[in-house]
Amino acid sequence: MEKSLIDIEFENITENLKVIRERVSKAALASGRGEDEVKLMAVTKTIDPARINYAISQGVDLIGENRVQEFQSKIDELDMTACKAHLIGHLQSNKAKKIVGEVDVIQSVDTVSIAKEIAKHALNRGISQKVLLEVNIGCEWSKFGFDISEVPERAAEISEINGVKVKGLMCVAPICEDEKKLLNIFENMHKLYIDICNKKIDNIDMEFLSMGMSGDYETAILGGANLVRVGSAIFGPRIYSDKH
Ligand SMILES: *Cc1c(COP(=O)(O)O)cnc(C)c1O
């Protein structure tokens, strides 16, 4: 019998995950850490529930979505019993209510005011929402995030907001041909992460340094990332169906 298209895609996902996991392990070891010390997130924007559930069946235990609405439209069809979800895309304040408490971590806190908005809805639900602070490292196509220089101060400010818990930092790196320059950017993020750890601020518990995507996850790990967000290298090129 001929293999159906979806079977071929499933095989590709299995194969891609295998290769990526090997590379993640290798890079983790090369950076002086254990192979389990770097977490692989599967970025599932534009990917349909069947493919996401297949990836979950292959051991993916963390997914990342960019848009609140897209996440909501898929979540009921996903088997999330052994899988967590993070929001990784820019969050508009009018969408905060819909996502607070629905994801384990909101990685894309890029202003103090969105942190306050998240906190308000978290308190209403009687929870504390885990968040990461998004750092803008000078990427032309990502206009979101705190400037590196203001991160320690903003982190301290956000740590005092009841209803959110700062768990780390995230960034989107520029597309950069120069491997050394890119590594340097990731290393600077790692320094910032360690600096904030060392300040031992109440209500800040640094657990995640989220950086690295399909094109640069190995470099990001060498630079100190402990969470990489990989989409197209797992699922293939994204097909955008509407006005994204
Ligand atoms: C889409 C996206 C990713 C994954 O990108 P790939 O290049 O497909 O791996 C990671 N992080 C964020 C914030 C994204 O929007």
Side-chain angles (χ1 to χ4, degrees), residues 9 13 24 34 51 68 73 77 86 89 119 147 158 162 173 190 235:
E9 283 194 41
I13 291 172
V24 166
R51 287 164 181 78
V68 173
S73 74
E77 293 175 71
H86 290 184
D147 288 343
I158 293 171
N162 201 3
H190 184 249
F235 295 106

Side-chain angles (χ1 to χ4, degrees), residues 5 22 54 56 63 71 73 87 148 172 202 218 223 232:
L5 199 57
E22 281 167 7
Y54 181 77
I56 291 171
I63 62 167
F71 176 67
S73 74
L87 185 77
I148 279 215
V172 179
D202 275 353
E218 289 161 291
S232 45

Side-chain angles (χ1 to χ4, degrees), residues 43 45 66 88-89 170 172 212-215 229-233 238:
V43 174
K45 62 173 179 251
N66 286 62
I88 60 172
M170 82 88 93
V172 179
M213 316 195 335
S214 290
R229 309 180 307 267
V230 179
S232 45
R238 278 183 289 279

Side-chain angles (χ1 to χ4, degrees), residues 109-136:
V109 165
D110 52 8
T111 58
V112 174
S113 70
I114 194 68
K116 286 181 179 160
E117 188 68 17
I118 291 168
K120 181 178 86 185
H121 298 297
L123 289 179
N124 281 340
R125 295 184 63 151
I127 60 163
S128 180
Q129 175 68 58
K130 291 187 248 178
V131 300
L132 306 189
L133 306 186
E134 181 167 354
V135 181
N136 187 333

Side-chain angles (χ1 to χ4, degrees), residues 129-188:
Q129 175 68 58
K130 291 187 248 178
V131 300
L132 306 189
L133 306 186
E134 181 167 354
V135 181
N136 187 333
I137 48 174
C139 178
E140 316 76 47
W141 50 275
S142 174
K143 46 196 180 301
F144 301 116
F146 298 102
D147 288 343
I148 279 215
S149 60
E150 65 170 342
V151 172
E153 200 181 327
R154 295 291 164 264
E157 197 176 341
I158 293 171
S159 76
E160 295 190 351
I161 304 171
N162 201 3
V164 291
K165 176 102 187 157
V166 176
K167 296 292 285 181
L169 305 177
M170 82 88 93
C171 73
V172 179
I175 294 170
C176 181
E177 299 289 316
D178 185 344
E179 186 97 358
K180 269 204 185 131
K181 215 162 141 189
L182 196 56
L183 182 61
N184 195 254
I185 290 173
F186 290 133
E187 286 173 342
N188 284 338

